[in-house]
Amino acid sequence: MKVLGIETSCDETGIAVYDSDLGLQAHALFSQVDIHAEYGGVVPELASRDHVRRILPLIERVLNDADLAKCGIDAIAYTRGPGLIGALMVGASVAQALAFVLKVPTIGVHHMEGHLLAPMLEENPPAFPFVALLVSGGHTQLVAVKSIGDYELLGESVDDAAGEAFDKAAKMLGLGYPGGPVIAKLATQGTAGRYRFPRPMTDRPGLDFSFSGLKTYTLNTVMGAKDKDTFDLQTQADIAYAFQEAVVETLAIKCRRALKQVNMDTLVIAGGVSANIVLRKRLEAMATKLGAQVFYARPEFCTDNGAMIAYAGCQRLLAGQSDKLGIKPKPRWPMVELSRV
């Protein structure tokens, strides 16, 4: 089965072709980072308009790269939610229109399930069951995964997600957008021990996260340095280092708790923040001590992409699932509502 995957949940237009027998055939991505950078975050209307401009040329490009004619598409998978309603509408509309013309089935994919399954695209994929840490711009969740669609939410952020916290901390430091990569780069020049930020909600039981207090602590530290006229490049780097350490250690502590709680020895990390090298190394060290393994996707499949949507959709299509014709995006969509495969 050859599945065309379409991802338009936020600020990246991702297209891919996945073959159930041969694997990923081609993929392409257009990122809107430059469009939104001057605003310090995603502007929904600008995101939707750019998806309209990019989606059809990207589909043509990917089909050409895969040496596949439109009539060779067996099904279409698209991101149904969660995400920005306007952005989701673009992908859903194009997917359903193409499917109607080609007379092929469609499947609306949950964006976070796509991230969760992205490591399955690698040569050495994880085996079920496992604990998944989903860390993206809008989500921070720990999920026990027994099989595709069999998910138990173990914990989630009660306020800002980790990715949002990185973006806001970067803005406080006068850095660019998105915040994760710029803070990670600056942190390599930071001095360990000059600042120590709190590890939120690690001093109590449970697997939920909270990063709003860490954001406030960062702001107070920045303002304090400015008041003392010590807010130079080295101070920025030291704050970036301390902030990243706090987020990474908090995530590692919660992952260790989750693995022990559900008695599993496999951890999958997925989503944009999973590309952070310090986070990967810290989780690998933690897992080694527990006798566990850590799996993640290559960096290009950590951020939003069409390949993960094509793969996730293909698995559900192979199980006999498909959508009725209609455009029904779900900007809010708890993953635990998904059916099992």
Side-chain angles (χ1 to χ4, degrees):
M1 176 181 285
K2 296 178 178 63
V3 179
L4 176 69
I6 299 174
E7 154 61 22
T8 62
S9 66
C10 189
D11 60 343
E12 287 163 321
T13 311
I15 307 295
V17 170
Y18 183 84
D19 188 309
S20 58
D21 293 323
L22 303 175
L24 185 64
Q25 298 300 288
H27 67 97
L29 180 77
F30 182 84
S31 174
Q32 301 175 7
V33 166
D34 291 341
I35 295 173
H36 304 288
E38 65 178 296
Y39 304 101
V42 177
V43 181
E45 180 64 22
L46 295 181
S48 302
R49 291 180 182 181
D50 199 67
H51 285 308
V52 172
R53 285 192 290 266
R54 308 292 177 180
I55 190 167
L56 293 179
L58 276 177
I59 290 174
E60 294 288 348
R61 172 182 160 186
V62 168
L63 290 177
N64 183 65
D65 290 346
D67 194 23
L68 182 67
K70 288 188 180 71
C71 60
I73 297 171
D74 297 312
I76 300 175
Y78 65 96
T79 302
R80 187 181 179 193
L84 302 175
I85 182 62
L88 293 170
M89 285 287 291
V90 176
S93 300
V94 171
Q96 294 288 12
L98 273 176
F100 179 77
V101 172
L102 298 174
K103 295 181 173 58
V104 298
T106 63
I107 185 79
V109 174
H110 192 289
H111 179 72
M112 297 310 295
E113 181 173 69
H115 276 304
L116 186 152
L117 297 177
M120 299 297 183
L121 293 163
E122 302 303 321
E123 291 185 3
N124 180 34
F128 298 107
F130 54 77
V131 170
L133 171 66
L134 303 177
V135 273
S136 67
H139 298 81
T140 301
Q141 298 177 324
L142 278 166
V143 182
V145 181
K146 296 179 181 178
S147 63
I148 296 177
D150 191 350
Y151 307 132
E152 177 188 357
L153 181 63
L154 302 175
E156 62 184 339
S157 181
V158 298
D159 41 56
D160 287 353
E164 291 173 321
F166 268 106
D167 289 341
K168 292 175 181 178
K171 189 172 184 178
M172 296 172 197
L173 289 167
L175 306 176
Y177 171 85
V182 293
I183 284 185
K185 182 178 180 179
L186 184 58
T188 61
Q189 305 170 37
T191 305
R194 181 179 176 187
Y195 297 104
R196 177 177 171 79
F197 286 11
R199 278 56 171 161
M201 294 184 72
T202 58
D203 59 349
R204 68 194 74 174
L207 296 172
D208 284 337
F209 303 90
S210 172
F211 294 106
S212 63
L214 181 60
K215 177 187 66 178
T216 302
Y217 194 96
T218 304
L219 178 61
N220 290 338
T221 303
V222 169
M223 297 307 295
K226 288 182 176 180
D227 289 343
K228 296 177 182 177
D229 199 25
T230 58
F231 190 67
D232 54 15
L233 181 58
Q234 187 57 55
T235 297
Q236 284 180 296
D238 293 344
I239 293 174
Y241 179 92
F243 174 84
Q244 179 175 256
E245 280 292 300
V247 174
V248 165
E249 188 171 348
T250 297
L251 294 173
I253 290 171
K254 298 288 186 171
C255 285
R256 181 173 64 246
R257 288 183 186 176
L259 288 169
K260 289 183 176 181
Q261 179 175 308
V262 298
N263 193 30
M264 293 183 183
D265 60 5
T266 303
L267 175 68
V268 167
I269 54 172
V273 182
S274 71
N276 185 289
I277 300 301
V278 175
L279 175 62
R280 291 187 176 194
K281 290 181 177 179
R282 193 69 52 84
L283 291 177
E284 287 173 350
M286 176 274 296
T288 298
K289 291 181 180 179
L290 292 179
Q293 287 183 293
V294 179
F295 293 83
Y296 40 76
R298 71 196 79 166
E300 64 188 309
F301 293 153
C302 290
T303 55
D304 296 351
N305 63 88
M308 68 183 192
I309 301 303
Y311 176 85
C314 184
Q315 306 315 303
R316 290 189 172 275
L317 287 159
L318 289 172
Q321 298 181 15
S322 63
D323 291 343
K324 294 181 180 179
L325 190 65
I327 302 170
K328 298 179 180 180
K330 298 185 72 171
R332 294 184 181 275
W333 190 9
M335 198 163 63
V336 292
E337 293 181 359
L338 295 176
S339 61
R340 297 180 184 182
V341 171

